[in-house]
Amino acid sequence: GHLSAQNVLNALIATVCMAPSVWAAVERARCASAADPSPAGGGGAFSVHGWCEMALHRPLLSANWLFLWNVTVGFWLVGLLQRSFWLIDPYWTLLPPLLGAFYASHPHADPPCVSRLRAALALVSLWSARLTHSYFRREEWKFGQREDWRYSQMAERNPRLWWVLSFFAVGLAQQPMLVGLTLPLYAAALGHRSLPMAGGAPAALSWCWLDSLGCVGCVCGLLLAKSADDQLATFMAANQARVASGQSRVRLLDTGLWRFSRHPNYLGETIFWASLGLFGCASGHWWV
């Protein structure tokens, strides 16, 4: 149940698991406001001194550094201890807006177009809210009800090596995807620092048609994904009712949006993230 010891423990883990990154963000702000932003000491990136240097002057590298140790390694260790890699699923929906907040709150963030950054952050937050709701609805509003079926299948096929393979399949595989998907947020918040300067200031990059097109595309992608997920949830609930009443389960959803595509929800996701990339292009970084 919702108050079972396992569910309460998983909820606690989900609440505190990002504490290292929260501390790192607070430390970054402290370093920026200090008279001497580089406290004495060595130890490379694992020291406070090294972290301050990286966080203040290499924001994208510092985001990857935090992701590597807090999520890739940290979540993997939690999964090994619990024998279930469920934790990455709810955080898959939360990490994009968290990365966006990390970029937007950087002490050197001074976007040439504040409206672009706000729009991109708002859209990613809406995406997160939609997918988080969809995830917990599927999990019956519980934490760690189950892990992704693909991970369970890989574990069954590789029982002896799964503890090693899981680091790459569950842990490391998420980093290039999630950090890569949120590069437009980095470009909107901090990308101007690497653009050509005009008169000592970043080149003007005001709101343009790419931003407007990005907004429309993101909203369309969100609506498509939400409609598809709602139809799938209704289908699954109806199937459960059929089984409970002794009827046969319907194996294939072929109505609504699912009549035209096997994965209309994934199509909506693709449209959303491709459209978000337009904010990066409008920021002067076509490569995002």
Side-chain angles (χ1 to χ4, degrees):
H2 293 86
L3 296 180
S4 67
Q6 188 62 56
N7 194 54
V8 172
L9 174 62
N10 288 346
L12 180 62
I13 291 173
T15 301
V16 304
C17 65
M18 295 301 292
S21 292
V22 173
W23 172 86
V26 172
E27 189 63 25
R28 181 186 66 179
R30 187 201 65 78
C31 292
S33 62
D36 179 7
S38 300
F46 287 102
S47 68
V48 175
H49 168 79
W51 168 248
C52 285
E53 286 292 318
M54 182 194 299
L56 292 178
H57 303 296
R58 297 177 178 84
L60 189 56
L61 178 61
S62 64
N64 275 281
W65 184 257
L66 279 181
F67 199 110
L68 174 64
W69 293 107
N70 196 161
V71 179
T72 301
V73 175
F75 284 22
W76 173 66
L77 292 175
V78 171
L80 290 179
L81 290 173
Q82 290 196 301
R83 298 180 181 275
S84 173
F85 293 97
W86 66 272
L87 187 57
I88 191 60
D89 278 355
Y91 266 96
W92 222 97
T93 73
L94 299 175
L95 284 168
L98 290 176
L99 282 166
F102 183 77
Y103 298 138
S105 62
H106 193 279
H108 296 161
D110 185 21
C113 182
V114 176
S115 297
R116 175 181 300 122
L117 177 59
R118 289 176 177 173
L121 288 173
L123 288 165
V124 171
S125 297
L126 284 174
W127 170 88
S128 175
R130 184 206 73 78
L131 198 57
T132 300
H133 173 269
S134 179
Y135 167 78
F136 279 106
R137 176 176 59 184
R138 186 192 71 192
E139 299 300 302
E140 300 177 352
W141 311 104
K142 297 176 184 176
F143 289 87
Q145 174 88 337
R146 56 191 169 185
E147 68 176 356
D148 190 298
W149 65 270
R150 289 164 291 193
Y151 302 154
S152 300
Q153 189 177 77
M154 284 187 280
E156 291 175 1
R157 292 176 177 176
N158 305 277
R160 294 185 178 180
L161 295 176
W162 179 235
W163 71 276
V164 176
L165 295 176
S166 59
F167 175 76
F168 299 96
V170 181
L172 197 59
Q174 313 303 324
Q175 184 161 345
M177 284 193 289
L178 287 168
V179 176
L181 286 173
T182 54
L183 281 176
L185 300 178
Y186 166 78
L190 290 156
H192 63 282
R193 299 170 68 233
S194 61
L195 293 176
M197 308 291 278
L205 292 168
S206 58
W207 185 278
C208 67
W209 66 272
L210 285 172
D211 298 297
S212 300
L213 184 60
C215 286
V216 173
C218 284
V219 171
C220 289
L222 283 173
L223 292 175
L224 176 59
K226 183 181 186 307
S227 297
D229 278 348
D230 287 347
Q231 291 173 11
L232 179 59
T234 300
F235 173 76
M236 297 296 290
N239 254 344
Q240 289 180 348
R242 290 189 188 95
V243 172
S245 62
Q247 301 179 50
S248 299
R249 182 189 300 271
V250 177
R251 294 187 175 277
L252 186 65
L253 172 57
D254 57 1
T255 59
L257 293 170
W258 297 82
R259 177 184 178 184
F260 305 101
S261 171
R262 279 300 81 216
H263 298 288
N265 48 350
Y266 292 170
L267 175 60
E269 290 285 303
T270 302
I271 293 173
F272 176 86
W273 290 109
S275 299
L276 191 75
L278 296 178
F279 290 105
C281 295
S283 300
H285 293 275
W286 60 268
W287 48 270
V288 303

